[in-house]
Amino acid sequence: MTARRLKRFIALLSSLAFALVIALAVVSFVPRAFGYMPFAVLSGSMEPELPVGSMVFVRQVEPTDIAVGDNATFYRSDGAVVTHQVYQIDPVAQMIGTQGIANKNADGSIMHDAEQTPFSSVIGTVSFCVPYLGFVNAYCTTMPGLLVVVAVLALLIAASIVLDRMVPDEPAGKHTRVHARERRS
């Protein structure tokens, strides 16, 4: 590979890496501006509807507006954030019953969650889901993932700077002459 091709390749990689970082930032922050909170799906309890590694976008709703069959995101009593399907609503006790649709009893029926969820623990309902984005988000929001992203960007910037200093830009006249010859033939 010639030095100029390497320079163009590094420039392309840099552009793609920056585009990826910007896309991740947009996907993480723009939905928040419209009232959606992103959460990564970390377990298979809601497969195939919400696959592991997906990112769900949750909109805050009044617990009284939740319907049976909705996928609700809530805080479990131990503080964990969970998204499960609502199978029961008790407005008097202000509780909802939830279930992971992939969690089955011995007879094959869906197993209900062990505890009911109080209305006060409900975050909202799932509006939409983006497959695989949760894996990327979960990795990039850890310290090792963040370090890898920063290191890759730094290496691409450093390589681009070094190549800019070592390899002169192609003269405009030469590039124009090559294209003119190609058009004639």
Side-chain angles (χ1 to χ4, degrees), residues 122-136:
V122 174
I123 298 169
T125 57
V126 175
S127 295
F128 59 98
C129 172
V130 179
Y132 306 110
L133 189 57
F135 284 136
V136 176

Side-chain angles (χ1 to χ4, degrees), residues 11 13 37 41 44 51 62 69 93 96 108 117 125 136:
L13 281 180
M37 294 169 280
V41 177
E62 288 298 319
I96 61 172
T117 302
T125 57
V136 176

Side-chain angles (χ1 to χ4, degrees), residues 169-181 183-184:
D169 288 331
E170 197 172 282
K174 178 182 176 187
H175 184 69
T176 306
R177 285 192 302 269
V178 169
H179 283 301
R181 267 189 254 129
R183 276 187 252 132
R184 276 187 257 142

Side-chain angles (χ1 to χ4, degrees), residues 60-169:
Q60 187 175 4
V61 297
E62 288 298 319
T64 54
D65 293 336
I66 295 174
V68 170
D70 284 350
N71 293 325
T73 301
F74 55 92
Y75 293 104
R76 210 168 46 194
S77 62
D78 64 359
V81 175
V82 177
T83 299
H84 276 175
Q85 183 184 66
V86 176
Y87 73 87
Q88 179 185 39
I89 302 167
D90 184 346
V92 174
Q94 295 192 340
M95 303 285 270
I96 61 172
T98 57
Q99 60 191 7
I101 60 174
N103 299 338
K104 306 285 183 177
N105 289 313
D107 66 358
S109 62
I110 296 175
M111 182 185 308
H112 299 321
D113 291 346
E115 55 188 42
Q116 298 273 309
T117 302
F119 281 7
S120 61
S121 295
V122 174
I123 298 169
T125 57
V126 175
S127 295
F128 59 98
C129 172
V130 179
Y132 306 110
L133 189 57
F135 284 136
V136 176
N137 183 3
Y139 181 71
C140 289
T141 55
T142 64
M143 188 53 73
L146 189 57
L147 290 175
V148 167
V149 169
V150 169
V152 167
L153 289 174
L155 284 173
L156 288 171
I157 291 168
S160 181
I161 291 169
V162 168
L163 286 171
D164 273 347
R165 291 183 182 193
M166 291 178 53
V167 180
D169 288 331

